[in-house]
Every structure is written in C-alpha cells, then in structure tokens.
Amino acid sequence: MDPFEATDPHRFIADFLTGFHGELVGSDEDAGVIVDRYHTPDVVQITDGHRMDRQKLIAHTRPTRKQRPELRVSVHEALAAEDRLAARYTMHVRAPKRELAIEVCFFGRFAPDGRLRQARMLTRTVPSGTEAAA
C-alpha cells in the first residue's frame, strides 16, 4: 500500500511535521508513545550527518517539550513515489527567546500506515523572514 495514495505529498509532509510537533508540545503524553505513533520502531533518521534511532529521537524531543515553541511549515516542493518522499520545506520556529527559520531538504521512506521509517535531511538555519523563495 502506498502511504501517499490519498494525500498530496505537500500536504502529507506538512501534516506529518505539524502533527508530530503539535502532539509533542500540546500534551503530557509519554514522548515514546508519540514518537511511536509517527515513526516505526526501527526508525533511522540522519540529519546533517547525525544519526538518530528511536531512543535518540525520544531524547531529542525533551527540549522541544520543555520550551513548547510554535511551528509553522512552508512546503516548497514535494514528490512521492511508492514509499519514498522527497521534499524541500522551511520550518518557522518561534520560541520564547528566539525566532528562526530552518530550511530542510528531506528524503524519506514511510511505512504503509504513514509512519516514518528512514530519513536523511540536510538543514540550514537562516534568520527568520529571509529564507529562500519557493
């Protein structure tokens, strides 16, 4: 089954990112339960050369849950084929003490149920409001 069958790839990745973030900052539910809802147990995510498995991903959520920043995602490009999705998007983050934009080039594989299985991401932080045009 194609995880993107019923959803446009732009909408899929935007909903995935904002849904995961929203559940992390909007509830006190165990972070591991939320991670498992969005990621397979064998998830491997490599961002800028840093490898995260499930346990590291859970640990990575702690600062986000503590600061509870706002997140808005602008998807510039997204393509999907079978279980793979490639996207270029900007995450706009507003935390109590700072505001930033993170440009992301994302290459991922998803399980049939829409959970992330593997991802490779390249990121670049830019001053908020100055990200590259779509």
Side-chain angles (χ1 to χ4, degrees), residues 22-41:
E23 287 192 35
L24 281 173
V25 301
S27 79
D28 292 324
E29 185 175 20
D30 180 78
V33 172
I34 297 170
V35 165
D36 290 345
R37 208 167 11 254
Y38 287 83
H39 303 81
T40 60

Side-chain angles (χ1 to χ4, degrees), residues 13 17 74-76 87-91 102-104 106 121:
I13 194 66
L17 296 165
S74 301
V75 179
H76 310 296
R88 185 176 63 85
Y89 56 86
T90 302
M91 296 188 311
I102 304 167
E103 293 178 343
V104 181
F106 172 93
M121 293 174 274

Side-chain angles (χ1 to χ4, degrees), residues 42-134:
D42 61 343
V43 66
V44 174
Q45 184 171 301
I46 300 172
T47 304
D48 300 328
H50 300 283
R51 184 183 190 280
M52 283 195 287
D53 59 13
R54 179 183 177 276
Q55 286 307 115
K56 288 181 181 177
L57 185 58
I58 292 168
H60 185 71
T61 67
R62 288 187 187 113
T64 301
R65 295 194 96 183
K66 185 176 181 180
Q67 295 176 4
R68 300 195 186 274
E70 295 175 24
L71 173 70
R72 183 174 55 82
V73 176
S74 301
V75 179
H76 310 296
E77 300 174 276
L79 301 167
E82 298 175 3
D83 67 341
R84 299 174 189 272
L85 188 140
R88 185 176 63 85
Y89 56 86
T90 302
M91 296 188 311
H92 306 272
V93 181
R94 179 179 290 162
K97 295 183 181 178
R98 68 181 183 158
E99 189 171 330
L100 59 122
I102 304 167
E103 293 178 343
V104 181
C105 291
F106 172 93
F107 303 91
R109 291 184 61 215
F110 289 81
D113 62 5
R115 292 183 299 158
L116 182 63
R117 178 174 288 157
Q118 294 176 347
R120 290 188 181 263
M121 293 174 274
L122 298 172
T123 68
R124 176 174 87 113
T125 302
V126 296
S128 185
T130 63
E131 62 276 358

